[in-house]
């Protein structure tokens, strides 16, 4: 008995949303880079202040500290990739890096849970964990 497997090997994805911004790409790059540097510096400063000042070791400040760490994680999952894409003339991403970014984005927003109620990982289950409205996705899969 011979089993035929239907599989497609994708090594990269093309991001069609990006468009040629011409000479403005350097301006956009500098704006986004400045925003990212500000986010990193501000969150690190706040984390260090809370960690170093013993009087701020209260539940509310520790909660705020966890939010600052979460912000660092989420922005680091998005901004470096965005900066590379702004400067790039060919807007492609390798499949493993795309999956890594998808993992970062989903885990960034998963204050909601980490238990999958089925025996395999799928997009629908991950989106449910990430507190994402899944009705639109189900309709997309059905069409």
């Amino acid at each position: 008995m011979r089993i035929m497997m239907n599989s497609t090997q994708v090594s990269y994805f093309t991001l069609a949303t990006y468009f040629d911004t011409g000479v403005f790409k350097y301006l956009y790059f500098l704006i986004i880079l400045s925003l990212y540097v500000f986010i990193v510096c501000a969150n690190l400063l706040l984390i260090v202040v809370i960690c170093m000042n013993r009087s701020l070791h209260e539940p509310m400040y520790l909660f705020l500290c966890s939010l600052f760490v979460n912000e660092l994680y989420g922005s680091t999952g998005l901004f470096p990739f965005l900066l590379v894409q702004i400067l790039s003339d060919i807007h492609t991403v390798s499949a493993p890096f795309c999956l890594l970014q998808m993992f970062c984005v989903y885990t960034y927003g998963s204050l909601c849970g980490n238990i999958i109620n089925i025996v395999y990982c799928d997009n629908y289950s991950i989106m449910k964990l990430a507190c994402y409205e899944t009705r639109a996705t189900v309709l997309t899969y059905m069409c």
Side-chain angles (χ1 to χ4, degrees), residues 29-43:
F29 178 82
L30 287 175
I31 292 170
I32 300 296
L33 180 63
S34 300
L35 180 62
Y36 179 57
V37 168
F38 173 75
I39 289 170
V40 169
C41 290
N43 283 296

Side-chain angles (χ1 to χ4, degrees), residues 63-79:
F63 172 71
L64 288 174
C65 190
S66 69
L67 289 178
F68 301 143
V69 170
N70 194 32
E71 176 65 22
L72 282 174
Y73 177 69
S75 58
T76 302
L78 173 68
F79 279 97

